[in-house]
């Protein structure tokens, strides 16, 4: 892990609010929370979500940075246990305080205990799953689409379809109707439509976590439409006096996120460089 150490200067946010947020984090890292999306931020987007793994530099960078901070939380649409496994987070040195908020915050995994706290599954998820194959068939989307069972949610991926974007657009309305019938909502992502229970998103999860930790600064990095809620949460926290930094894991697929970010980095490799640079910058700071 030494190759990344000291080799990348800390990037400067392009906005005044972002520069203020970064300065607050660097001044008092022990009062700061770093929130990170998983897919597209810590792990490359791949055609088969089951093959996604954290960038090889992610755990080493986090192992250096996390002990200096108030907390690091991975906030993901995946089940918490899956993100822990694909991230290689369990038992990693320096990550004994890591928290993974899965299914947009509905689940919580703590490295300290290794346990997952989760609510009972919403009955609409099983009902939707039973009807999905017929809906995909009806709209000519059975070929090339892939249904992912997330336990407390279900996702339809179109990345493998012959025309991924056209299939994604064609399924938006029918899947919204299906979700609504069973009391669920649709969360769109990068060529994926996820049907899940309402009432929780990354913004709610991040806000609750920052407040629970008593954080005085926050940095959030994401790459997808689902991360817009977390960006909005950081913007609201800024208005309440909590400085923050918005980082986009450079995606050309989601330009809205890049336009709102204080800092755009080059995908998971860029996020790892940023985390390593932050670890260098706060290594001499008092983490109290």
């Amino acid at each position: 892990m030494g190759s990344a150490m000291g080799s990348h200067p800390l990037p400067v946010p392009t906005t005044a609010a972002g520069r203020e947020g970064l300065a607050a984090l660097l001044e008092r890292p022990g009062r700061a929370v770093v929130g990170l999306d998983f897919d597209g931020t810590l792990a490359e987007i791949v055609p088969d979500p089951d093959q996604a793994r954290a960038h090889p530099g992610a755990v080493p960078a986090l192992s250096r940075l996390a002990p200096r901070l108030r907390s690091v939380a991975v906030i993901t649409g995946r089940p918490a246990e899956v993100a822990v496994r694909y991230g290689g987070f369990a038992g990693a040195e320096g990550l004994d305080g890591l928290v993974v908020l899965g299914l947009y915050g509905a689940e919580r995994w703590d490295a300290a205990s290794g346990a997952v706290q989760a609510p009972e599954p919403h009955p609409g998820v099983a009902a939707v799953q039973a009807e999905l194959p017929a809906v995909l068939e009806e709209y000519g989307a059975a070929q090339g689409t892939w249904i992912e069972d997330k336990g407390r949610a279900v996702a339809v991926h179109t990345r493998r379809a012959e025309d991924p974007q056209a299939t994604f657009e064609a399924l938006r309305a029918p899947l919204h109707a299906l979700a609504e019938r069973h009391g669920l909502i649709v969360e769109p992502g990068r060529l994926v439509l996820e049907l899940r229970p309402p009432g929780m998103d990354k913004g709610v999860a991040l806000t609750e976590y920052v407040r629970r930790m008593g954080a005085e600064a926050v940095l959030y990095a994401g790459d997808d439409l689902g991360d817009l809620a977390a960006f909005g949460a950081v913007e609201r926290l800024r208005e309440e006096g909590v400085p923050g930094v918005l980082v986009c894991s450079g995606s050309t697929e989601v330009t809205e996120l890049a336009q709102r970010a204080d800092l755009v980095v080059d995908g998971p490799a860029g996020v790892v460089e940023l985390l390593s640079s932050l670890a260098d910058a706060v290594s001499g700071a008092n983490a109290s």
Side-chain angles (χ1 to χ4, degrees), residues 81-238:
E81 188 273 332
V82 173
V84 170
R85 195 164 73 247
Y86 292 0
F89 302 135
E93 182 183 353
L95 297 189
D96 46 326
L98 181 74
V99 168
V100 175
L101 302 175
L103 297 178
Y104 303 90
E107 293 185 344
R108 175 183 169 126
W109 175 88
D110 288 273
S113 66
V116 174
Q117 299 173 327
E120 286 298 308
H122 189 291
V125 174
V128 156
Q129 196 149 18
E131 291 183 36
L132 256 180
V135 172
L136 296 182
E137 189 75 46
E138 181 183 348
Y139 286 87
Q143 190 70 31
T145 52
W146 184 69
I147 299 172
E148 180 186 5
D149 178 4
K150 292 189 167 189
R152 291 173 177 80
V154 59
V156 177
H157 296 263
T158 68
R159 195 170 289 274
R160 298 179 192 167
E162 191 174 341
D163 188 335
Q165 191 63 43
T167 305
F168 175 87
E169 295 300 339
L171 288 176
R172 271 182 182 262
L175 292 190
H176 270 280
L178 174 63
E180 200 169 272
R181 250 191 348 265
H182 295 289
L184 303 181
I185 61 169
V186 174
E187 180 83 47
R190 287 164 68 177
L191 301 177
V192 58
L193 293 156
E194 181 167 320
L195 292 77
R196 63 180 181 85
M200 182 59 76
D201 61 33
K202 290 185 179 183
V204 173
L206 180 62
T207 302
E208 289 181 355
Y209 192 72
V210 165
R211 287 182 174 148
R212 190 185 311 132
M213 291 292 103
E216 295 173 10
V218 59
L219 179 148
Y220 183 81
D223 76 305
D224 203 349
L225 293 170
D227 296 304
L228 287 171
F231 270 37
V234 172
E235 288 162 351
R236 286 188 294 276
L237 285 163
R238 284 170 169 171

Side-chain angles (χ1 to χ4, degrees), residues 1-8 60-61 64 276 280:
M1 66 182 172
S3 61
M5 295 172 66
S7 57
H8 299 286
R64 295 175 52 229
S276 294
D280 291 337

Side-chain angles (χ1 to χ4, degrees), residues 23-36:
L25 188 156
L26 295 174
E27 186 179 339
R28 300 192 74 189
R31 301 292 184 188
V33 162
V34 167
L36 302 159

